[in-house]
Amino acid sequence: MTLGIRLDGRTALITGGGSGLGLAVAEALHAQGAAVAILGRTKAKLESAAVKIAAGGDSPVLTVVADVNEDDAVTDAVRQVHAWQGRLDIVVNSAAPLLAVSALAEADEAVVSDALDAKTVGYLRVARAALPLIEKEGTGRIINIAGMAAHVLVPNIGVAAAVNAAVVALTSYLAAEAAPQGVLVNAVSPGMTLTQVWKDRHAATAEAKGITPEQVRDGMVENLGIRLGRWARPEEIAAAALYLASDLATYVTGQTLQVDGGLGKSVI
Ligand SMILES: NC(=O)c1ccc[n+]([C@@H]2O[C@H](COP(=O)([O-])OP(=O)(O)OC[C@H]3O[C@@H](n4cnc5c(N)ncnc54)[C@H](OP(=O)(O)O)[C@@H]3O)[C@@H](O)[C@H]2O)c1
């Protein structure tokens, strides 16, 4: 058996594929030959992402407008992607609301339940809809983008921590339940990754403090003790998802790969 990273002939669905990490994952899988469907709520965003993805290879790209909060819309979207190429191999869950920043004890209850519903339950909705259709011959994968907040204490992101910890738990359980069907379920927990959402946040903080966005970024690297001394690039997180999607990971299931530049390592 030849093990490789190529995904020719496989079909992937990436929720949240219109921007940030989801887009980086979509580009990485597509560049290795997968037909890629990206799902999100904003048609224009998906269409411009599709142009970017298509520029990196010859495989087809599909955009699907749907809200992961809506059960029927998710079921229809997954069926549509399966019907598109007659198969569904890889599902990557990356759709999530913007990070809520506050002390957990002060977080609005609606913000907590909305975040849990949109991300944790959203991931579960997509996985449940996909499991009956996903390939059972060794190529079937579900990959959940969790977050390092699940594993380390980062001040003021307790809501994300609870949501991502739940994603880690649901990844383990789904992995155990899907194992008899030969479907592998894993997660990637990214550390601080420089997506547009964070660039915008840095610009706003920089303006308020009269410093540069680079100074905001570098200050966070120092405060959080990121060992590699910098933020991740989205493609560095996408590389971990690509590995889990490929034949290089045929004996890996129920795992959460922490791709965090050493953020999770304590100092003694
Ligand atoms: N960037 C980081 O440093 C970092 C670190 C750890 C974990 N993460 C995780 O990585 C994932 C992606 O984050 P990101 O930084 O790439 O953020 P992002 O650019 O905002 O990506 C999120 C995507 O999800 C879509 N989305 C949001 N709610 C949705 C819904 N209800 N239904 C369908 N699509 C929805 C958004 O598009 P629409 O609004 O158009 O639907 C957007 O394209 C998230 O799960 C996040 O928690 C990120």
Side-chain angles (χ1 to χ4, degrees):
M1 183 181 183
T2 310
L3 299 179
I5 202 88
R6 292 289 308 176
L7 300 172
D8 303 286
R10 301 184 197 175
T11 303
L13 164 64
I14 295 110
T15 76
S19 65
L21 295 181
L23 173 54
V25 172
E27 288 185 281
L29 301 191
H30 184 260
Q32 294 303 328
V36 161
I38 51 173
L39 177 151
R41 294 167 301 181
T42 317
K43 194 168 191 281
K45 194 199 280 188
L46 291 172
E47 281 172 354
S48 72
V51 170
K52 204 164 171 242
I53 297 163
D58 297 330
S59 304
V61 181
L62 178 73
T63 60
V64 183
V65 178
D67 187 332
V68 296
N69 285 312
E70 293 168 11
D71 230 8
D72 290 347
V74 166
T75 307
D76 286 350
V78 172
R79 282 199 192 128
Q80 186 192 338
V81 175
H82 180 264
W84 175 50
Q85 298 293 312
R87 62 187 293 146
L88 176 61
D89 299 273
I90 303 154
V91 172
V92 181
N93 275 310
S94 189
L98 291 179
L99 185 70
V101 181
S102 80
L104 189 53
E106 288 159 21
D108 194 293
E109 209 178 295
V111 170
V112 180
S113 45
D114 285 356
L116 275 165
D117 194 40
K119 183 159 177 174
T120 314
V121 185
Y123 281 20
L124 183 58
R125 273 189 203 102
V126 172
R128 277 182 171 167
L131 273 168
L133 299 174
I134 207 160
E135 286 297 313
K136 312 289 189 299
E137 304 299 323
T139 57
R141 306 291 154 83
I142 296 175
I143 300 161
N144 297 321
I145 307 298
M148 277 306 292
H151 316 282
V152 294
L153 281 171
V154 178
N156 292 322
I157 59 169
V159 174
V163 167
N164 286 319
V167 168
V168 170
L170 87 80
T171 299
S172 307
Y173 275 78
L174 283 177
E177 291 168 15
Q181 303 167 51
V183 177
L184 310 182
V185 185
N186 291 290
V188 176
S189 266
M192 307 308 293
T193 311
L194 203 50
T195 54
Q196 191 56 47
V197 169
W198 273 109
K199 285 183 187 166
D200 295 346
R201 210 172 266 144
H202 294 156
T205 308
E207 198 176 325
K209 292 189 170 173
I211 56 175
T212 67
E214 289 71 26
Q215 286 170 318
V216 175
R217 243 163 253 163
D218 292 348
M220 289 177 75
V221 167
E222 181 137 338
N223 289 341
L224 295 170
I226 302 174
R227 302 276 154 258
L228 289 183
R230 62 173 177 85
W231 285 61
R233 298 185 297 273
E235 56 270 28
E236 292 177 303
I237 308 305
L242 170 60
Y243 158 71
L244 291 170
S246 78
D247 289 343
L248 297 179
T250 48
Y251 202 58
V252 181
T253 198
Q255 301 302 308
T256 298
L257 199 45
Q258 299 180 13
V259 186
D260 67 348
L263 166 69
K265 301 291 173 215
S266 57
V267 187
I268 43 169

